[in-house]
Amino acid sequence: MGVALVRDGDRECVAILRLALNPVAWKLEPSADRDDFANKLQSRHPDIVVIDADRDDGEAFVVLASDAHSIVVAVTQDHSDQRSINLLDLGADAVFIKPIAPDLMRARLEAKIRSLHRLQPLAADRYVFENLTVDLREPSVHVSGHSLHLSATEHRLIHALAENAGRVLSHDQLLREAWGEEYEGNHDLVRTFVSSLRRRLKEAGFDHELIHTERSLGYWVVRPPAEAAEARLRATNSEAQTTRLAVREQRERLRAGMSRLQGSVEKLQQSAYKTANRDAPPTPESPVTR
């Protein structure tokens, strides 16, 4: 079940969220004040954070939530482009303008979740989230430093999910990774083992929901915060590099254009000078004084 944290205070926004999010797949966590919001942000690890940016401390809450591994949605009544730009600069991943229909909000939230899952495979030797460690080089899983005894199939299953943290893996993809291609289509087998893994992790002392269900698609696990930040930084650096290259190319094109323009002006000046001197009478020679 996904978790949606919403800054309580705007009853209309909360009501729309309750209509937009499937109560079976999502748990709505209202937040009463700054301290409660900060605590739930750290303890519940919400997938989505929805903030009414027009209310008191709304912008501060956007900044606070932007540091978490969550989709940050800012809601405002201001239709101006500058308001949306300001909220995005503060750390919002999306800006919704009120009033917004529940179906439209649901569709946009799902689109944001899909974009969040389109990440590169985990670039690390270990998957570390809270007190859980999955060694990706060998079949080893630890909870609070204690080894978790799993079957070979369970190890392959959790490794496949951890290596692709943040991405949704279909039932057939997991079957190929953990069992083999001959098991494709046996989706109940995946559901059974995922249920068993969840139970084993909880019994071992891992209190967070690690394996998330993407209805009709498959399963995924949360990307570690540090790795998610690095992925976002790499994407930002890539965009910045692309922008710098585009600016550099534009500057070179402008310089080349200015050079061609200057050459054309010089040619016109020379042509005008020749034309003027061709039609002018010859200058008389000055007498030589002895």
Side-chain angles (χ1 to χ4, degrees), residues 141 147-151 154-155 200:
V141 178
S147 179
L148 182 61
H149 298 288
L150 300 174
S151 68
E154 288 172 330
H155 273 296
R200 285 176 175 271

Side-chain angles (χ1 to χ4, degrees), residues 6 46 62 64 88 90 95 125 134 144 161 174 179 197 205 207 209 219 249 253 272:
V6 56
V62 171
L64 182 63
L88 292 170
L90 288 174
V95 178
D125 294 329
V134 180
S144 299
L161 289 165
L174 290 171
W179 286 272
L197 265 178
D207 297 329
E209 185 175 5
Y219 299 95
E249 291 175 0
R253 285 196 294 270

Side-chain angles (χ1 to χ4, degrees), residues 17-31:
L17 273 171
R18 292 191 185 281
L19 292 172
L21 300 177
N22 183 344
V24 176
W26 288 92
K27 181 177 182 181
L28 196 62
E29 288 275 357
S31 175

Side-chain angles (χ1 to χ4, degrees), residues 54-131:
D54 296 337
R55 300 188 68 81
D56 293 340
D57 293 330
E59 294 186 356
F61 277 94
V62 171
V63 175
L64 182 63
S66 66
D67 292 331
H69 179 54
S70 307
I71 297 173
V72 182
V73 175
V75 182
T76 178
Q77 290 181 331
D78 193 333
H79 288 68
S80 67
D81 291 340
Q82 189 58 50
R83 175 59 167 164
S84 295
I85 291 170
N86 291 341
L87 291 172
L88 292 170
D89 287 342
L90 288 174
D93 295 298
V95 178
F96 292 172
I97 309 299
K98 294 192 293 187
I100 183 169
D103 287 344
L104 181 57
M105 175 174 275
R106 176 193 52 74
R108 288 183 176 175
L109 289 177
E110 289 178 352
K112 273 294 171 185
I113 293 170
R114 288 195 299 272
S115 68
L116 180 67
H117 295 163
R118 295 189 191 111
L119 300 172
Q120 297 300 318
L122 197 65
D125 294 329
R126 294 188 305 165
Y127 173 90
V128 181
F129 184 75
E130 297 295 335
N131 61 332

